[in-house]
Amino acid sequence: MEAMKPLMKLCIAKLKQGTLLWLEGFKEACYLHRVVILCLRSRKLLIRTGQCFLLNGFIFLGSMIVLNSVVIPMLFWILPDQCSQISTQVPCSFGGILKLYSVLRLGLIQLFYVFWFYPLYMFSLILSSLWYNDIAKFGFAAMGRSGSSVVEPSSPSETLTAQSTAHTERLAGLGGVMVGIGEQVFSVILLSFFFLEVFATGFIPYVGKAINFLLLSWMYAYYCFEYKWNFSEVALDKRLDYFESNWAFFAGFGSPCVLAIFFVSPLVSYGVMAVLFPLFVLAATCSGAEQDISFPRRKWRGVGLGRLPIFYAADSLSLRVLSLLPLKPQDKTQEIKAH
């Protein structure tokens, strides 16, 4: 029993550290007042964010509210589903008519989805994806003007070391372009497999919902920070290494995103996320958490918890898919994704 005490103390200490890091990430995502400051600094950012709210909040979610609050009740009034709304006769002799009314209601609602919601969903999905990139770019520029996003090295030697490291890691010319494209392609494949993994966990009995919530939190947290990491030209292997080494922080950061959509229907959840996602992207842009990547191992807050291989399955499947492609420089892919 005495031998178990040090192990228990270690587990309690790690649990406490993980909880604190989760809370720190949660708070970092909720610092939305920074978003207001960024929007006030950049007119372009304010316009793009407003357009995103107008399309996804006012038009898309507004259409859902109109459908559920006006259209469907009106259809039930015109095409009732109860005999008492047609006649007071007992017993009811309008069973066939009620079935016809039910089919007509269902058909009209489906037409509403086919000719309005699904096209609007695709239009919003494509346009919002472009706007998110602009929002991140304008937010990144606004942070650059403020100077608050720059991490100052503690000594001149660290400055020289960081500059030389960045210089040696940055490839020039066509080779650098090809490596950048390769990283983007690999990132898309990796996140696609991770999304399938997230989707599949929702069908696991008993613990599936909890695992699904956790994986969704990581996925949205990674999406939020990926925009800034792209503009900061952070290599893919460093992103994944940092993310998996600070898994508790990013689980906390993604939790508010998931809480907002976890208990509603898919279309409503998309609309809510499309409205909130720019805010969390800007919150990630304002965050200084990822600045530790520039000086690895110096002040990583999650180092005591150890690295959690969040993307291991998606990583393995992605490399497997790439190995099947007729590409000769496979060792370059391994270099891009070696970690």
Side-chain angles (χ1 to χ4, degrees):
M1 195 66 183
E2 292 293 330
M4 294 293 292
K5 285 185 178 180
L7 181 61
M8 291 179 63
K9 287 182 179 180
L10 180 63
C11 291
I12 292 173
K14 286 186 176 292
L15 179 62
K16 181 180 179 181
Q17 184 184 9
T19 303
L20 291 175
L21 285 172
W22 187 92
L23 289 173
E24 184 179 351
F26 193 93
K27 289 190 297 182
E28 198 76 20
C30 294
Y31 287 153
L32 298 182
H33 62 281
R34 298 174 178 175
V35 176
V36 178
I37 296 173
L38 284 183
C39 289
L40 293 176
R41 289 176 181 169
S42 173
R43 180 176 176 81
K44 292 181 179 179
L45 175 61
L46 182 62
I47 292 173
R48 272 287 182 266
T49 307
Q51 288 173 330
C52 197
F53 286 167
L54 179 64
L55 174 61
N56 298 305
F58 183 76
I59 299 179
F60 190 87
L61 286 179
S63 298
M64 292 293 298
I65 293 173
V66 169
L67 175 66
N68 292 315
S69 302
V70 178
V71 176
I72 292 180
M74 186 177 295
L75 287 176
F76 272 97
W77 179 69
I78 298 173
L79 305 171
D81 63 337
Q82 295 179 4
C83 288
S84 59
Q85 296 176 272
I86 301 176
S87 172
T88 57
Q89 294 178 3
V90 180
C92 180
S93 60
F94 294 94
I97 296 178
L98 293 178
K99 289 181 180 178
L100 177 62
Y101 285 174
S102 177
V103 172
L104 288 175
R105 279 198 315 270
L106 182 61
L108 291 172
I109 293 172
Q110 290 304 314
L111 287 175
F112 199 89
Y113 276 94
V114 169
F115 290 103
W116 178 249
F117 275 113
Y118 295 144
L120 182 61
Y121 171 79
M122 295 304 299
F123 178 74
S124 171
L125 190 65
I126 295 170
L127 199 56
S128 295
S129 298
L130 300 175
W131 285 349
Y132 294 154
N133 190 70
D134 286 344
I135 287 170
K137 179 174 67 176
F138 296 145
F140 189 76
M143 285 296 296
R145 288 200 299 272
S146 70
S148 58
S149 64
V150 179
V151 174
E152 296 292 339
S154 59
S155 67
S157 61
E158 273 191 352
T159 304
L160 294 175
T161 303
Q163 289 175 350
S164 62
T165 302
H167 178 74
T168 55
E169 290 181 349
R170 187 182 296 114
L171 297 175
L174 183 60
V177 174
M178 294 304 295
V179 170
I181 294 174
E183 283 191 347
Q184 291 299 320
V185 171
F186 188 89
S187 178
V188 170
I189 297 174
L190 177 76
L191 293 175
S192 298
F193 278 120
F194 189 74
F195 176 79
L196 292 176
E197 185 181 339
V198 172
F199 179 76
T201 56
F203 297 98
I204 300 176
Y206 305 112
V207 297
K209 289 295 183 182
I211 297 174
N212 186 255
F213 184 94
L214 181 62
L215 293 181
L216 274 175
S217 299
W218 279 325
M219 186 178 73
Y220 282 119
Y222 187 89
Y223 280 145
C224 290
F225 277 90
E226 187 182 35
Y227 288 97
K228 188 176 183 180
W229 290 340
N230 281 335
F231 292 119
S232 302
E233 298 181 352
V234 179
L236 180 61
D237 60 330
K238 285 190 175 181
R239 301 181 197 182
L240 298 180
D241 190 30
Y242 180 73
F243 193 92
E244 292 183 338
S245 298
N246 295 272
W247 52 269
F249 173 86
F250 288 107
F253 188 92
S255 294
C257 310
V258 183
L259 280 172
I261 65 170
F262 199 67
F263 302 102
V264 294
S265 65
L267 273 180
V268 175
S269 67
Y270 166 77
V272 173
M273 177 50 64
V275 171
L276 296 180
F277 188 68
L279 303 181
F280 292 117
V281 169
L282 291 174
T285 302
C286 298
S287 173
E290 83 292 345
Q291 296 296 334
D292 299 336
I293 298 176
S294 302
F295 307 100
R297 305 297 180 187
R298 182 159 67 89
K299 51 180 181 179
W300 279 13
R301 287 166 292 180
V303 68
L305 291 176
R307 179 173 175 171
L308 186 66
I310 300 168
F311 298 103
Y312 177 78
D315 185 13
S316 301
L317 289 172
S318 301
L319 289 175
R320 180 67 176 171
V321 168
L322 289 179
S323 68
L324 299 176
L325 300 177
L327 299 175
K328 288 185 179 180
Q330 291 184 4
D331 49 343
K332 270 195 173 181
T333 304
Q334 296 291 344
E335 279 183 16
I336 292 173
K337 198 42 212 68
H339 63 122

